[in-house]
Amino acid sequence: MPLTDPEKLQIVQKRVFIKKVCRECGALNSVRATKCRKCHSRNLRLKKKELPTKKG
């Protein structure tokens, strides 16, 4: 069910995409994190902000 309301879409994008991902263990962390909550590595990146497209 696709979202058409722009306000709701913005809320969903904040909750889903604004996170950091650990490059070593793959754990999701808050955007303010400086080290991983799981393995304590400092090797973090921002989550990719592209919506997956359906193939077929």
Side-chain angles (χ1 to χ4, degrees):
M1 180 169 91
L3 288 173
T4 54
D5 186 17
E7 289 178 27
K8 288 183 181 177
L9 187 62
Q10 210 171 28
I11 292 169
V12 168
Q13 285 178 339
K14 278 187 182 179
R15 284 192 66 111
V16 173
F17 295 123
I18 301 181
K19 297 190 182 295
K20 284 187 179 178
V21 180
C22 178
R23 286 191 169 123
E24 300 201 8
C25 70
L28 292 177
N29 297 280
S30 75
V31 75
R32 296 178 295 166
T34 56
K35 61 182 183 178
C36 179
R37 64 178 175 79
K38 210 171 175 185
C39 70
H40 309 293
S41 168
R42 294 191 183 273
N43 195 2
L44 300 174
R45 66 169 173 85
L46 285 173
K47 188 170 181 181
K48 294 177 185 173
K49 293 185 171 43
E50 296 177 6
L51 284 171
T53 56
K54 290 187 177 179
K55 296 180 182 177

